[in-house]
């Protein structure tokens, strides 16, 4: 049990944690038999504000350890989440995680350029791996990650939170069930204004560029809407801040996807503006989701009748995703969004950059 | 006064006319002093189902004459709208309209390939001219039409019904007033399923192709949203019915517009699917109109508060457009949507076809 003093310190540290029951602080010391122990690798915004809070709510897994290069962060997290010293790693000591039975899953939440290395190292350490999207910078890296996990007989899941959430599942099922007939056109936009200038999202060598980040959501929107893989793309990229987005880094990307059925998608993604909707035109009606990829608040309208609206509080999506994936590991079932799913998106992202660079239609094989 | 028999015959001919007061049948015989006499050239669907009914409701103009190549249509319209024989023309007798004081305005509602000829002939006859959109097939034709009207000192208005209607005017004003800040991105789709195969819309030599027809609406949506003229375009065109849409005729067009401010638009238009929305992303919010270009039912939501919804019954838009334009002529004011406005769209349409054909970005000068 944490002391009252520890609890007070902990709750003072973060307003998010303060809303949880104090007994969630016990998670790190519970036996991992009925729940998987998760180690977060990379303690940036997404780990701090979403994954760690979500791991206080998960039923099938819990926050067992951390990997960070910043001693101050290690100290803060250790106190906040009552993480034992033996479960705290630096990037230098990371591989020793192989010997730690508390850690069942390594969740890689690093900049995209580091995904391949840490997924492969986690796999070699014999740990199941969860990896944030974008899966990696190149399709080749994605394949290496898939191969490493297969070779080491560990599971690999990509952090596609939307595939786990009920609004997305409802519209996807509705489209597959033919609610608006044959899918003909998808319009999908996802963007937010990012005022930062030195984050990895603004650094090409770290896997930056909006098409890798928010762009994956509009690709997911289009692929889930059509139920198909695009065979060719055209694309346009530009920036309103050439001092920040340079050397081929995109602040805004627009792309047009061609699907085998003849369906098309027009997708827009940006770090320069706030936008978020998915419009699907079918032969018998239309689906409009707005927003469609936010952390909550998704709302949808079927033109031929019916509304989609499953409300929940942040970080419900991340909680559900990790509980689903932990359950799949414990029951030895396939991951809902495995490495192959991440690879599909990165293949398209690479084609989009090539199409924008050359001004030509690029086939995807 | 029409006889009871004539009235019954008339109401039996069309359910649209049946909803009007019988005294609207008198319009054709009223003196043209306080209202302009309009002659419709081309009695297809748009004239029959929208313009003629609208001209029974207009206050500043009325249906004074018709020009048709089909004697059966002449007979039917003569009875239905009590049009005197002297105001009924064929395409052979059309130029004699110059001597008819009942006719103040010639409204050209023919296939686009015939617009130039009939607008120029009407101008030479000394009549004011209204011309349906698309204004013509080429920018050169548009310029000839503008020049002919200027030379003959008659007004020229293009049938941009939306520029006259209150929902469009409200969102346009809101955007110009900065309600959502700087305009950054426009997504606009307009299409319907056209099952016909031999209409002029499916004939290249008559000015067919969806980019000319529905495409003009998405261009208007983008231009009104940004308040700017595009300087370059990329485009993609395709068909799901290659037996109908051949030799470069487009069933579906997608285009990406670049505006001087840096704003972009992604537009989609089609004869193969029903779709209709306008999404405008600004630096301070979003506008979603859905539908945005229908004959009625326009509804809009400002993300930062407020709704746009001015309801009315069809054919209110056409009534308002013709009343506005007649008022401008009578008061010697500029047309709300003059020939120059039609020319701007056709320049873009031509650039879009070139971009789709070449696969390259095309600059608009």
């Amino acid at each position: 049990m944490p002391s009252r003093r520890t609890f007070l310190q902990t709750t003072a540290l973060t307003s998010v944690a303060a809303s949880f029951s104090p007994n969630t602080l016990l998670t790190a010391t519970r036996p991992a038999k009925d729940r998987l122990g998760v180690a977060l690798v990379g303690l940036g915004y997404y780990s701090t504000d979403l994954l760690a809070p979500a791991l206080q709510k998960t039923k099938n897994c819990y926050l067992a350890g951390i990997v960070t290069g910043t001693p101050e962060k290690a100290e803060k997290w250790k106190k906040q989440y009552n993480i034992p010293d033996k479960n705290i790693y630096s990037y230098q000591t990371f591989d020793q995680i192989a010997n730690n039975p508390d850690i069942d899953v390594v969740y890689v939440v690093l900049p995209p350029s580091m995904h391949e290395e840490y997924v492969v190292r986690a796999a070699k350490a014999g740990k199941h791996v969860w990896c944030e999207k974008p899966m990696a910078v190149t399709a080749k890296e994605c394949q290496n990650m898939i191969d490493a996990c297969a070779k080491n007989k560990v599971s690999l899941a990509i952090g596609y939170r939307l595939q786990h959430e009920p609004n997305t599942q409802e519209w996807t099922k509705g489209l597959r069930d033919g609610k608006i007939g044959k899918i003909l056109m998808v319009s999908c936009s996802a963007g937010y204004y990012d005022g930062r200038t030195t984050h990895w999202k603004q650094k090409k060598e770290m896997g930056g560029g909006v098409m890798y980040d928010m762009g994956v959501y509009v690709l997911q929107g289009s692929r889930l809407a059509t139920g198909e893989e695009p065979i060719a793309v055209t694309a346009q990229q530009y920036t309103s801040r050439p001092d920040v987005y340079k050397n081929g880094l995109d602040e805004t990307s627009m792309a047009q996807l061609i699907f085998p059925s003849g369906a098309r998608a027009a997708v827009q993604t940006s770090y320069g503006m706030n936008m978020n909707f998915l419009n699907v035109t079918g032969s018998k009606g239309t689906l409009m989701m707005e927003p469609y990829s936010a952390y909550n608040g998704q709302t949808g309208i079927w033109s031929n009748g019916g509304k989609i609206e499953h409300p929940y509080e942040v970080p419900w999506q991340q909680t559900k995703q990790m509980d689903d994936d932990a359950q799949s590991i414990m029951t030895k079932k396939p991951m809902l969004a495995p490495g192959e799913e991440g690879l599909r998106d990165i293949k398209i992202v690479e084609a989009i950059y090539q199409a924008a660079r050359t001004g030509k239609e690029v086939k995807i094989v």
Side-chain angles (χ1 to χ4, degrees), chain A:
Chain A
M1 280 284 288
S3 69
R4 178 174 162 76
R5 182 185 156 139
T6 307
F7 173 59
L8 288 176
Q9 280 180 333
T10 305
T11 52
L13 280 167
T14 166
S15 60
V16 175
S19 66
F20 299 135
S21 162
N23 66 9
T24 61
L25 295 169
L26 289 172
T27 52
T29 54
R30 281 196 194 179
K33 286 171 184 168
D34 59 340
R35 305 202 295 170
L36 300 182
V38 176
L40 294 177
V41 185
L43 306 182
Y45 159 76
Y46 197 69
S47 284
T48 305
D49 284 13
L50 292 150
L51 295 180
L55 281 165
Q56 309 310 306
K57 301 196 169 201
T58 42
K59 292 172 183 165
N60 301 326
C61 55
Y62 69 103
L63 179 60
I66 52 176
V67 182
T68 176
T70 313
E72 296 74 26
K73 281 187 186 175
E75 195 59 25
K76 183 180 167 184
W77 281 63
K78 172 186 167 176
K79 287 180 183 166
Q80 184 169 351
Y81 294 112
N82 203 28
I83 300 168
D85 283 332
K86 70 184 180 67
N87 291 0
I88 298 175
Y89 295 87
S90 70
Y91 296 111
Q92 286 69 42
T93 63
F94 173 73
D95 302 297
Q96 296 171 21
I97 211 165
N99 308 315
N100 190 336
D102 285 0
I103 311 296
D104 302 290
V105 177
V106 167
Y107 196 159
V108 176
V109 200
L110 295 163
S113 63
M114 300 171 76
H115 285 185
E116 180 194 21
E117 176 186 347
Y118 281 87
V119 166
V120 171
R121 282 168 71 176
K124 284 182 179 170
K127 303 300 179 185
H128 300 292
V129 193
W130 298 342
C131 178
E132 254 317 298
K133 45 125 310 252
M135 184 172 172
V137 180
T138 67
K140 187 170 181 299
E141 290 172 354
C142 294
Q143 193 59 57
N144 290 344
M145 294 153 77
I146 292 168
D147 292 346
C149 290
K151 187 177 172 187
N152 290 283
K153 297 186 170 50
V154 296
S155 294
L156 173 59
I158 311 303
Y160 285 122
R161 57 188 169 80
L162 293 178
Q163 295 205 16
H164 297 266
E165 76 91 41
N167 294 290
T168 306
Q169 290 177 339
E170 184 172 334
W171 67 252
T172 307
K173 182 173 188 308
L175 295 177
R176 286 300 82 67
D177 289 349
K179 186 160 169 63
I180 59 169
K182 183 173 153 66
I183 306 304
L184 302 171
M185 178 72 75
V186 179
S187 289
C188 191
S189 291
Y192 71 96
Y193 183 81
D194 194 324
R196 297 173 294 187
T197 57
T198 58
H199 189 265
W200 65 258
K201 296 187 180 191
Q202 287 90 34
K203 289 182 182 165
K204 196 176 180 185
E205 68 279 12
M206 295 182 82
V210 74
M211 194 62 225
Y212 275 109
D213 182 37
M214 297 302 287
V216 164
Y217 289 111
V218 296
L219 296 185
Q220 285 274 309
S222 305
R223 292 177 52 234
L224 291 175
T226 57
E228 297 183 273
E229 298 305 317
I231 52 175
V233 295
T234 48
Q236 305 81 35
Q237 297 182 323
Y238 62 101
T239 179
S240 66
R241 292 173 284 179
D243 51 322
V244 178
Y245 296 90
K246 47 196 168 189
N247 303 323
L249 205 64
D250 51 322
E251 182 194 42
T252 302
S253 281
M254 302 169 73
Q256 302 78 44
L257 283 58
I258 304 175
F259 292 91
S261 65
R264 302 270 177 141
V267 301
Q268 294 76 229
T269 184
S270 181
Y271 285 144
M273 64 192 84
N274 298 310
M275 55 183 180
N276 202 289
F277 74 88
L278 168 69
N279 182 287
V280 186
T281 299
S283 58
K284 296 178 183 172
T286 298
L287 166 70
M288 176 67 90
M289 294 291 308
E290 189 183 18
Y292 88 99
S293 73
Y295 288 153
N296 69 351
Q298 269 86 330
T299 313
I301 301 281
W302 299 103
S303 67
N304 48 8
K307 190 170 180 180
I308 298 174
E309 191 170 25
H310 300 278
Y312 45 75
E313 297 292 320
V314 177
W316 190 90
Q317 289 179 358
Q318 289 79 7
T319 306
K320 176 70 158 39
Q321 171 199 316
M322 292 189 283
D323 264 344
D324 280 356
D325 287 343
Q327 177 76 12
S328 293
I329 290 171
M330 289 192 291
T331 57
K332 300 189 189 304
K333 289 186 178 160
M335 297 291 109
L336 181 57
E340 288 76 5
E341 177 71 357
L343 168 62
R344 287 183 200 108
D345 281 339
I346 298 305
K347 271 187 180 175
I348 307 169
V349 170
E350 286 194 289
I352 285 172
Y353 278 102
Q354 189 188 337
R357 202 167 52 240
T358 61
K360 292 181 180 168
E361 182 179 300
V362 172
K363 301 223 180 309
I364 302 169
V365 286

